[in-house]
Amino acid sequence: MPELPEVEVVRRGLERHIVGASIDSVDILHPRAIRRHLPGAADLAGQLTGERIAGADRRGKYLWLVLEPSTVALVVHLGMSGQMLVQPPELPTEKHLRIRARLDSGLDLRFVDQRTFGGWALAPLVEVDGSLVPDSVAHIARDPLDPRFDLAATVKVVRGKHTEIKRVLLDQTVVSGIGNIYADEALWRAQIHGNRLTDRLTGPRIRAVLTAAQQVMREALTQGGTSFDALYVNVNGESGYFDRSLSAYGQEDRPCPRCGTAIRREKFMNRSSFSCPKCQPAPRRSPAR
Ligand SMILES: [Zn+2]
């Protein structure tokens, strides 16, 4: 699953290469890739044809193109293996090409997805808290890289919850875009165990973990995004390489870069959590849930 920095890399690529272009025609080559668009393939292709791509936007891991004149959003679900490729039309079609849009700029916008968990769907844009977002994204909170992310207000919301800090970091309605990898990295940096209860943490400690999430995602972004899946590449077909810089996530039994203690792996919400037993001592009492 791509995390926020990877999605932002894709967004930037789309902004650079296709914003301003108009869609001449759309071929939907696999019905699964448009299953979220309930009116079906002909409707999607018909609505997209003739539209101008006015912007490429993102909130958390949600990515969309703003279309004109209709002012609807083309929401792009990358799923596990989805790629948005901008290609010259004469380039042979990819084996897992699912949707191809021909642009008036002379390029193709291609959606390639081996497992086809992702896809395209149209959604009306609605105004939430001063920003236009697709209605399917209206319940998603701002992410830590959003220029209008309110750190102080988010600290307050987090402290108001009686649950484990990692659970709140993954709650997209509180703060979006933090997945398992960046949650573990942020908790490691702030030296907090993910099972600590939010209402037992001080405001400054919660602020520290949110700030750490911001920092680790910014660093990932400057390096082109993390990539754990060879299938996941950005809009230009280049893989990210931030995975070399991870301190905790996926580092089981390797030394903690801060103190040298072996990183431990624990189960959390049907997934794994990675942390340093010395820098991030587990809470003594068992978690609330
Ligand atoms: Zn340590």
Side-chain angles (χ1 to χ4, degrees), residues 1-257:
M1 201 82 178
E3 297 231 10
L4 185 153
E6 287 87 343
V7 180
E8 175 60 12
V9 168
V10 175
R11 191 201 66 76
R12 288 180 181 181
L14 294 173
E15 188 168 62
R16 194 174 313 125
H17 295 289
I18 65 165
V19 166
S22 292
I23 299 170
D24 282 341
S25 64
V26 177
D27 291 317
I28 290 150
L29 306 165
H30 197 304
R32 238 171 88 78
I34 57 105
R35 69 192 180 283
R36 291 180 185 86
H37 186 75
L38 301 180
D43 180 86
L44 182 73
Q47 286 205 57
L48 287 174
T49 302
E51 291 286 307
R52 182 178 164 272
I53 300 163
D57 241 324
R58 180 190 59 74
R59 175 167 289 190
K61 301 177 203 172
Y62 294 83
L63 175 70
W64 66 91
L65 299 176
V66 178
L67 302 175
E68 281 179 358
S70 65
T71 69
V72 298
L74 172 60
V75 180
V76 177
H77 298 268
L78 295 170
M80 299 292 284
S81 54
Q83 295 169 250
M84 293 282 275
L85 302 177
V86 181
Q87 308 277 40
E90 61 272 17
L91 211 79
T93 56
E94 294 75 9
K95 188 179 173 195
H96 303 290
L97 180 65
R98 304 306 186 207
I99 306 170
R100 179 176 49 209
R102 297 200 186 272
L103 307 178
D104 70 348
S105 59
L107 293 169
D108 275 2
L109 174 61
R110 299 182 183 181
F111 182 73
V112 174
D113 192 352
Q114 182 181 338
R115 284 174 268 185
T116 329
F117 292 140
W120 290 6
L122 292 176
L125 284 164
V126 293
E127 193 182 325
V128 181
D129 187 22
S131 297
L132 280 176
V133 296
D135 65 352
S136 52
V137 179
H139 62 293
I140 302 296
R142 291 186 192 277
D143 60 69
L145 298 190
D146 189 318
R148 297 179 66 185
F149 176 71
D150 188 337
L151 181 59
T154 307
V155 169
K156 218 171 158 182
V157 172
V158 172
R159 282 200 82 192
K161 306 249 170 202
H162 178 74
T163 186
E164 298 111 308
I165 180 71
K166 183 168 176 183
R167 196 178 285 270
V168 181
L169 291 178
L170 298 174
D171 182 345
Q172 304 296 301
T173 66
V174 175
V175 54
S176 68
I178 305 178
N180 208 31
I181 298 170
Y182 293 101
D184 279 3
E185 291 299 296
L187 289 163
W188 180 83
R189 287 192 185 198
Q191 303 188 48
I192 296 170
H193 191 279
N195 286 349
R196 294 237 171 235
L197 297 178
T198 51
D199 51 1
R200 300 270 189 89
L201 289 169
T202 62
R205 292 202 82 196
I206 292 169
R207 176 180 279 267
V209 73
L210 288 170
T211 306
Q214 229 165 12
Q215 283 168 351
V216 73
M217 287 195 285
R218 280 203 189 111
E219 288 166 20
L221 202 47
T222 59
Q223 296 180 36
T226 311
S227 183
F228 290 92
D229 186 340
L231 291 168
Y232 184 75
V233 290
N234 71 26
V235 72
N236 290 317
E238 299 159 21
S239 294
Y241 52 90
F242 182 66
D243 47 320
R244 289 179 203 158
S245 316
L246 294 174
S247 300
Y249 185 85
Q251 307 299 307
E252 187 179 12
D253 295 334
R254 295 202 191 132
C256 164

Side-chain angles (χ1 to χ4, degrees), residues 256 259 276 279:
C256 164
C259 75
C276 171
C279 300

